[in-house]
Amino acid sequence: MYKTVLVTGATSGIGLALVHDLCRRGYRVYATGRSQEALTALQAETDCLGSTADLTDPTQAVALYAAAEAALGQVDVLINNAGANHRKALLADTTLEEFELQYALNLRAPYLLGREALKAMVPRGHGYIINVVSTCALRHPSPMGIYATMKSGLASLSQVMMKEGQPHGLKVSTLYPGGVDTPFRSEAKPYYMLPDSVATTIATLLTLPPDVIVHEMTFRPPFELE
Ligand SMILES: NC(=O)c1ccc[n+]([C@@H]2O[C@H](COP(=O)([O-])OP(=O)(O)OC[C@H]3O[C@@H](n4cnc5c(N)ncnc54)[C@H](OP(=O)(O)O)[C@@H]3O)[C@@H](O)[C@H]2O)c1
């Protein structure tokens, strides 16, 4: 049913594992991140297409979607996965620049890509948008306040995408992963979920029957109770 996938944040962590998993399953994948070196390595290891883009730049975000459509013919699945928390700090110690950077990457970019996807997918009556949020959007942790706020905004945006897309045959899923052991944070967390495990979990969504739509999915490593 779905043949082509655009994965953002594909040069590291969950997205990198996802591209490997999806390519092994036979999907045609368009991968993106900022690092040309990491993207070149990924393309040497898989048969994915791709290009670099800094998603904090709205022009690059919109152009990326067009590039993926041109390369794949059409994007069946958009996986809004790119994201970052740039620093842990109490709100009183944060800056406007940090707020705007978190907004640009974690909320504005998925909005722009999702908007482009809805414009293309709704007339086709076919497509799937998966938004990678975080359990931070449910827990509101104070030292990651701006990140959690933007992820909460993304969760809300994702629900709106569902309401606007589903009547036209689209699926939209809002994902709330708990801890994943990726370069997202500087220290290793071996008791967190493996990126490969998370990739398999996300890729499995694409194989569900057409009459089953996962609106929201929260999944955590065994030690996390909430
Ligand atoms: N790890 C966790 O515990 C966890 C838990 C819940 C949710 N998440 C979410 O899962 C998603 C993936 O995270 P991860 O753990 O895989 O982190 P990661 O290993 O740090 O990967 C982040 C990805 O986002 C890309 N990215 C960062 N800034 C970008 C920018 N300005 N423009 C374009 N791409 C950019 C990075 O590529 P470049 O560096 O090449 O630009 C990289 O491919 C994120 O949305 C994160 O919030 C993570």
Side-chain angles (χ1 to χ4, degrees):
M1 184 184 180
Y2 304 111
K3 294 180 178 161
T4 61
V5 189
L6 167 57
V7 181
T8 70
T11 49
S12 175
I14 297 168
L16 182 76
L18 197 46
V19 173
H20 279 279
D21 190 309
L22 293 170
C23 287
R24 276 196 301 273
R25 291 171 192 252
Y27 293 96
R28 292 176 60 232
V29 179
Y30 197 92
T32 186
R34 285 168 306 176
S35 168
Q36 183 62 64
E37 189 183 355
L39 183 61
T40 301
L42 179 59
Q43 290 186 286
E45 292 162 5
T46 69
D47 61 355
C48 75
L49 303 167
S51 63
T52 58
D54 184 342
L55 294 179
T56 62
D57 176 347
T59 306
Q60 290 189 46
V62 173
L64 170 73
Y65 196 87
E69 282 262 315
L72 295 171
Q74 67 179 49
V75 174
D76 292 335
V77 183
L78 164 65
I79 304 184
N80 268 323
N81 168 70
N85 178 52
H86 300 98
R87 188 170 75 94
K88 282 189 177 178
L90 300 179
L91 287 180
D93 298 326
T94 58
T95 65
L96 176 60
E97 289 72 23
E98 286 174 306
F99 185 92
E100 289 182 336
L101 182 59
Q102 288 284 324
Y103 159 69
L105 177 61
N106 294 315
L107 182 54
R108 188 176 64 192
Y111 152 70
L112 290 169
L113 290 163
R115 185 191 68 183
E116 295 309 293
L118 287 167
K119 279 198 269 187
M121 291 174 181
V122 165
R124 283 182 204 132
H126 179 254
Y128 196 165
I129 301 172
I130 295 176
N131 294 304
V132 179
V133 182
S134 168
T135 51
C136 280
L138 307 172
R139 295 187 295 107
H140 319 293
S142 88
M144 299 169 76
I146 298 176
Y147 171 76
T149 299
M150 296 310 159
K151 287 293 192 178
S152 295
L154 176 57
S156 180
L157 181 75
S158 185
Q159 297 292 348
V160 177
M161 288 181 192
M162 180 275 289
K163 289 191 173 170
E164 296 186 5
Q166 193 170 309
H168 300 279
L170 275 57
K171 292 188 181 190
V172 178
S173 294
T174 309
L175 307 189
Y176 298 92
V180 191
D181 189 16
T182 71
F184 179 84
R185 55 187 74 71
S186 50
E187 72 279 23
K189 299 270 188 182
Y191 41 90
Y192 278 5
M193 291 181 283
L194 295 172
D196 283 350
S197 306
V198 173
T200 301
T201 304
I202 296 174
T204 301
L205 290 173
L206 306 190
T207 69
L208 296 179
D211 57 331
V212 175
I213 304 176
V214 174
H215 279 178
E216 299 178 42
M217 186 167 75
T218 303
F219 51 109
R220 297 182 165 101
F223 86 96
E224 276 185 14
L225 298 179
E226 61 176 4

Short mmCIF file of all heavy atoms in Angstrom, two decimals, residues 2 20 29-30 32 36 42 46 55 62 66 74-75 88 119 133 144 159 164 168 194 200 213 223:
data_model
loop_
_atom_site.label_atom_id
_atom_site.label_comp_id
_atom_site.label_asym_id
_atom_site.label_seq_id
_atom_site.Cartn_x
_atom_site.Cartn_y
_atom_site.Cartn_z
N TYR A 2 1.84 1.32 0.90
CA TYR A 2 2.79 2.43 0.92
C TYR A 2 4.10 1.95 0.32
O TYR A 2 4.62 0.91 0.71
CB TYR A 2 3.03 2.94 2.34
CG TYR A 2 1.76 3.34 3.06
CD1 TYR A 2 1.29 2.60 4.14
CD2 TYR A 2 1.03 4.45 2.64
CE1 TYR A 2 0.12 2.95 4.79
CE2 TYR A 2 -0.14 4.81 3.29
CZ TYR A 2 -0.60 4.06 4.37
OH TYR A 2 -1.75 4.42 5.01
N HIS A 20 17.49 2.22 7.51
CA HIS A 20 18.00 0.86 7.31
C HIS A 20 16.84 -0.14 7.29
O HIS A 20 16.76 -1.01 6.41
CB HIS A 20 19.00 0.49 8.41
CG HIS A 20 20.38 1.03 8.17
ND1 HIS A 20 21.28 0.44 7.32
CD2 HIS A 20 20.99 2.13 8.66
CE1 HIS A 20 22.41 1.14 7.31
NE2 HIS A 20 22.26 2.18 8.10
N VAL A 29 13.16 5.02 -0.09
CA VAL A 29 13.28 5.96 1.02
C VAL A 29 14.07 7.19 0.60
O VAL A 29 15.12 7.08 -0.05
CB VAL A 29 13.97 5.29 2.23
CG1 VAL A 29 14.10 6.27 3.39
CG2 VAL A 29 13.19 4.05 2.66
N TYR A 30 13.58 8.36 1.00
CA TYR A 30 14.31 9.62 0.83
C TYR A 30 14.72 10.07 2.23
O TYR A 30 13.88 10.32 3.10
CB TYR A 30 13.43 10.67 0.16
CG TYR A 30 14.22 11.85 -0.40
CD1 TYR A 30 14.67 11.84 -1.71
CD2 TYR A 30 14.51 12.96 0.40
CE1 TYR A 30 15.39 12.91 -2.23
CE2 TYR A 30 15.22 14.03 -0.11
CZ TYR A 30 15.65 13.99 -1.43
OH TYR A 30 16.37 15.06 -1.95
N THR A 32 17.04 12.48 4.99
CA THR A 32 17.59 13.83 5.10
C THR A 32 18.07 14.15 6.51
O THR A 32 17.57 13.59 7.49
CB THR A 32 16.57 14.89 4.65
OG1 THR A 32 17.20 16.17 4.65
CG2 THR A 32 15.36 14.91 5.55
N GLN A 36 26.23 16.04 5.56
CA GLN A 36 26.47 15.39 4.26
C GLN A 36 27.27 14.11 4.44
O GLN A 36 27.01 13.10 3.78
CB GLN A 36 27.22 16.35 3.33
CG GLN A 36 27.46 15.80 1.93
CD GLN A 36 26.17 15.50 1.18
OE1 GLN A 36 25.39 16.41 0.90
NE2 GLN A 36 25.91 14.23 0.86
N LEU A 42 25.21 6.72 4.83
CA LEU A 42 23.93 6.00 4.83
C LEU A 42 23.58 5.52 3.42
O LEU A 42 23.09 4.40 3.22
CB LEU A 42 22.84 6.92 5.38
CG LEU A 42 21.43 6.38 5.45
CD1 LEU A 42 21.34 5.12 6.32
CD2 LEU A 42 20.46 7.45 5.98
N THR A 46 22.80 1.69 2.21
CA THR A 46 21.44 1.34 1.80
C THR A 46 21.24 1.87 0.37
O THR A 46 22.11 2.52 -0.18
CB THR A 46 20.38 2.00 2.72
OG1 THR A 46 20.40 3.42 2.48
CG2 THR A 46 20.66 1.73 4.19
N LEU A 55 16.54 22.10 8.63
CA LEU A 55 15.09 22.28 8.76
C LEU A 55 14.72 23.48 9.62
O LEU A 55 13.54 23.82 9.71
CB LEU A 55 14.45 21.00 9.31
CG LEU A 55 14.53 19.80 8.36
CD1 LEU A 55 13.89 18.57 9.02
CD2 LEU A 55 13.84 20.10 7.03
N VAL A 62 10.58 23.51 3.02
CA VAL A 62 9.59 23.37 1.93
C VAL A 62 10.25 22.78 0.68
O VAL A 62 9.68 21.90 0.02
CB VAL A 62 8.93 24.75 1.64
CG1 VAL A 62 8.05 24.67 0.41
CG2 VAL A 62 8.13 25.21 2.84
N ALA A 66 9.56 19.11 -1.76
CA ALA A 66 9.48 19.10 -3.23
C ALA A 66 10.57 18.20 -3.82
O ALA A 66 10.31 17.45 -4.78
CB ALA A 66 9.61 20.52 -3.77
N GLN A 74 6.24 10.27 -5.86
CA GLN A 74 5.36 10.85 -4.85
C GLN A 74 5.78 10.32 -3.48
O GLN A 74 6.38 9.24 -3.39
CB GLN A 74 3.88 10.51 -5.10
CG GLN A 74 3.52 9.05 -4.93
CD GLN A 74 2.02 8.81 -5.17
OE1 GLN A 74 1.46 9.27 -6.16
NE2 GLN A 74 1.39 8.10 -4.26
N VAL A 75 5.50 11.11 -2.46
CA VAL A 75 5.79 10.67 -1.09
C VAL A 75 4.52 10.03 -0.53
O VAL A 75 3.50 10.69 -0.37
CB VAL A 75 6.22 11.87 -0.21
CG1 VAL A 75 6.37 11.44 1.26
CG2 VAL A 75 7.51 12.50 -0.72
N LYS A 88 19.78 21.64 28.47
CA LYS A 88 18.87 21.55 29.61
C LYS A 88 19.02 22.81 30.45
O LYS A 88 20.14 23.18 30.82
CB LYS A 88 19.21 20.32 30.47
CG LYS A 88 18.72 19.01 29.89
CD LYS A 88 18.88 17.88 30.89
CE LYS A 88 18.32 16.60 30.32
NZ LYS A 88 18.50 15.46 31.22
N LYS A 119 -1.11 18.90 1.29
CA LYS A 119 -1.45 19.47 -0.03
C LYS A 119 -1.34 18.41 -1.11
O LYS A 119 -2.12 18.38 -2.05
CB LYS A 119 -0.51 20.64 -0.35
CG LYS A 119 -0.91 21.93 0.32
CD LYS A 119 -0.24 23.12 -0.36
CE LYS A 119 1.07 23.45 0.26
NZ LYS A 119 1.69 24.69 -0.24
N VAL A 133 6.84 12.59 18.42
CA VAL A 133 6.77 13.57 19.50
C VAL A 133 7.73 13.08 20.59
O VAL A 133 8.90 12.81 20.32
CB VAL A 133 5.30 13.75 19.97
CG1 VAL A 133 5.17 14.79 21.06
CG2 VAL A 133 4.44 14.17 18.77
N MET A 144 13.78 20.58 30.62
CA MET A 144 13.65 20.51 29.15
C MET A 144 12.36 21.22 28.74
O MET A 144 11.64 20.78 27.86
CB MET A 144 13.63 19.05 28.69
CG MET A 144 14.91 18.29 29.04
SD MET A 144 14.76 16.51 28.79
CE MET A 144 14.88 16.40 27.00
N GLN A 159 -2.61 16.03 15.82
CA GLN A 159 -4.04 15.69 15.92
C GLN A 159 -4.86 16.45 14.88
O GLN A 159 -5.83 15.94 14.32
CB GLN A 159 -4.56 16.01 17.33
CG GLN A 159 -3.89 15.21 18.44
CD GLN A 159 -4.23 13.72 18.38
OE1 GLN A 159 -5.12 13.29 17.66
NE2 GLN A 159 -3.48 12.92 19.14
N GLU A 164 -7.79 16.58 9.58
CA GLU A 164 -7.89 17.10 8.21
C GLU A 164 -7.55 16.05 7.17
O GLU A 164 -7.99 16.15 6.03
CB GLU A 164 -6.97 18.33 8.07
CG GLU A 164 -7.43 19.48 8.97
CD GLU A 164 -6.65 20.76 8.75
OE1 GLU A 164 -5.80 20.82 7.83
OE2 GLU A 164 -6.90 21.72 9.51
N HIS A 168 -10.03 12.08 4.20
CA HIS A 168 -9.61 11.97 2.80
C HIS A 168 -8.75 10.73 2.56
O HIS A 168 -8.02 10.67 1.56
CB HIS A 168 -8.84 13.23 2.39
CG HIS A 168 -9.65 14.48 2.53
ND1 HIS A 168 -10.58 14.89 1.58
CD2 HIS A 168 -9.72 15.39 3.54
CE1 HIS A 168 -11.17 16.00 2.00
NE2 HIS A 168 -10.66 16.33 3.17
N LEU A 194 16.54 0.54 22.23
CA LEU A 194 17.52 0.61 21.15
C LEU A 194 16.89 1.30 19.94
O LEU A 194 15.70 1.09 19.65
CB LEU A 194 17.94 -0.81 20.73
CG LEU A 194 18.69 -1.63 21.77
CD1 LEU A 194 18.86 -3.07 21.28
CD2 LEU A 194 20.05 -0.99 22.05
N THR A 200 11.87 -0.60 14.22
CA THR A 200 10.98 -1.72 13.89
C THR A 200 9.54 -1.40 14.30
O THR A 200 8.59 -1.69 13.57
CB THR A 200 11.46 -3.00 14.61
OG1 THR A 200 12.79 -3.28 14.18
CG2 THR A 200 10.57 -4.18 14.30
N ILE A 213 -6.21 2.52 12.13
CA ILE A 213 -5.42 3.76 12.17
C ILE A 213 -4.99 4.00 13.61
O ILE A 213 -5.83 4.20 14.50
CB ILE A 213 -6.23 4.96 11.64
CG1 ILE A 213 -6.75 4.67 10.22
CG2 ILE A 213 -5.36 6.22 11.65
CD1 ILE A 213 -7.63 5.75 9.64
N PHE A 223 12.09 -0.06 32.09
CA PHE A 223 12.26 0.55 33.42
C PHE A 223 11.38 1.79 33.61
O PHE A 223 11.19 2.25 34.73
CB PHE A 223 13.74 0.91 33.66
CG PHE A 223 14.12 2.26 33.12
CD1 PHE A 223 14.13 3.39 33.93
CD2 PHE A 223 14.42 2.41 31.77
CE1 PHE A 223 14.46 4.64 33.41
CE2 PHE A 223 14.75 3.65 31.25
CZ PHE A 223 14.77 4.77 32.08
#
